[in-house]
């Protein structure tokens, strides 16, 4: 795990425990960091007078700041398969903030940096704690083995030509339209 000035006693042990829980047997592949400052919570969508959705400017700024932080610490290419994400949010106040919204902020900020798309996050852990003097986020990322295949883990074998391919649509059975046309009358079992 990366060491940062924001790390407090016990953060590393907590991160290692979460990494072992989310990616059992793969602790060498897990990565973690401590993001200093008050954890941000993603706001509900906002709509203009014409009914079009737009991002809250505070959300946009917070997401850019978190993206910058992640770019500084994540030194690899974005993960391409299933991902496990664990976050412990240390808040400075008892204000009621939904942990899911804080986790969504981290998921959106990690797009294109830590993972290609947050749909790859197939295991999530979220914990909210109080630390008035040192608000921070302990973040842990690792590979996740799941039957829900995402990203490049989603490789299928075409029943027509037996070539392997990554589907561009969720229910895609054949590798391409030509293979589908040539084999559409045959019975296919998945």
């Amino acid at each position: 795990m990366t060491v940062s000035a924001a790390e407090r006693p016990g953060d590393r042990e907590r991160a290692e425990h979460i990494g072992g829980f989310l990616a059992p047997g793969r602790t060498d592949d897990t990565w973690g960091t401590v993001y200093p400052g008050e954890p941000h919570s993603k706001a509900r969508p906002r709509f203009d007078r014409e009914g079009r959705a737009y991002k809250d400017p505070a959300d946009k700024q917070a997401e850019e700041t978190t993206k910058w932080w992640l770019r500084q610490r994540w030194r690899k290419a974005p993960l391409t398969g299933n991902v496990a994400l664990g976050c412990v949010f240390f808040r400075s106040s008892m204000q009621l903030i939904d942990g899911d919204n804080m986790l969504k902020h981290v998921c959106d900020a990690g797009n294109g940096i830590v993972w290609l798309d947050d749909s790859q996050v197939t295991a999530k852990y979220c914990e909210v704690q109080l630390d008035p003097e040192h608000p921070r986020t302990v973040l842990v990322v690792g590979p996740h083995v799941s039957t829900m295949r995402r990203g490049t883990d989603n490789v299928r074998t075409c029943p027509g030509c037996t070539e392997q391919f990554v589907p561009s649509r969720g229910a895609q059975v054949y590798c391409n339209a030509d293979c589908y046309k040539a084999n559409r009358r045959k019975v296919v079992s998945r």
Side-chain angles (χ1 to χ4, degrees):
M1 181 168 140
T2 309
V3 178
S4 103
E7 187 176 332
R8 307 298 304 159
D11 284 353
R12 180 179 301 269
E13 293 77 19
R14 187 182 296 248
E16 288 171 355
H17 180 74
I18 292 168
F21 170 72
L22 289 172
R26 310 270 316 255
T27 52
D28 291 344
D29 297 335
T30 59
W31 172 85
T33 189
V34 178
Y35 179 70
E38 192 68 42
H40 184 76
S41 177
K42 187 111 177 161
R44 291 192 170 120
R46 297 180 183 248
F47 299 92
D48 63 15
R49 290 187 176 132
E50 286 80 40
R52 292 183 300 243
Y54 68 92
K55 253 187 186 173
D56 177 24
D59 271 354
K60 190 173 183 178
Q61 178 59 45
E63 191 173 309
E64 288 303 315
T65 302
T66 304
K67 279 181 175 287
W68 179 85
W69 176 266
L70 290 172
R71 273 190 208 100
Q72 301 305 308
R73 274 129 192 98
W74 184 260
R75 300 294 183 189
K76 305 180 229 176
L79 297 171
T80 57
N82 289 3
V83 177
L85 169 65
C87 290
V88 182
F89 301 103
F90 289 91
R91 306 246 332 131
S92 63
S93 73
M94 297 284 287
Q95 179 184 9
L96 294 177
I97 300 282
D98 189 352
D100 290 344
N101 292 337
M102 290 187 282
L103 198 59
K104 181 63 178 156
H105 167 77
V106 172
C107 284
D108 288 346
N111 283 338
I113 300 167
V114 182
W115 42 78
L116 297 173
D117 185 75
D118 58 348
S119 67
Q120 294 170 240
V121 181
T122 52
K124 297 177 186 174
Y125 175 81
C126 174
E127 183 179 339
V128 182
Q129 295 286 339
L130 178 66
D131 189 345
E133 295 180 21
H134 303 285
R136 64 198 180 280
T137 301
V138 176
L139 185 128
V140 180
V141 176
H144 182 240
V145 177
S146 172
T147 55
M148 286 296 282
R149 298 176 297 186
R150 304 287 167 92
T152 55
D153 287 351
N154 190 11
V155 177
R156 297 183 184 171
T157 302
C158 177
C161 65
T162 67
E163 293 291 321
Q164 290 196 330
F165 70 101
V166 176
S168 58
R169 300 177 312 278
Q172 185 178 350
V173 176
Y174 291 93
C175 61
N176 59 43
D178 293 335
C179 204
Y180 167 73
K181 288 175 187 172
N183 295 285
R184 68 179 165 208
R185 302 222 185 270
K186 296 177 184 176
V187 176
V188 176
S189 61
R190 290 189 221 182

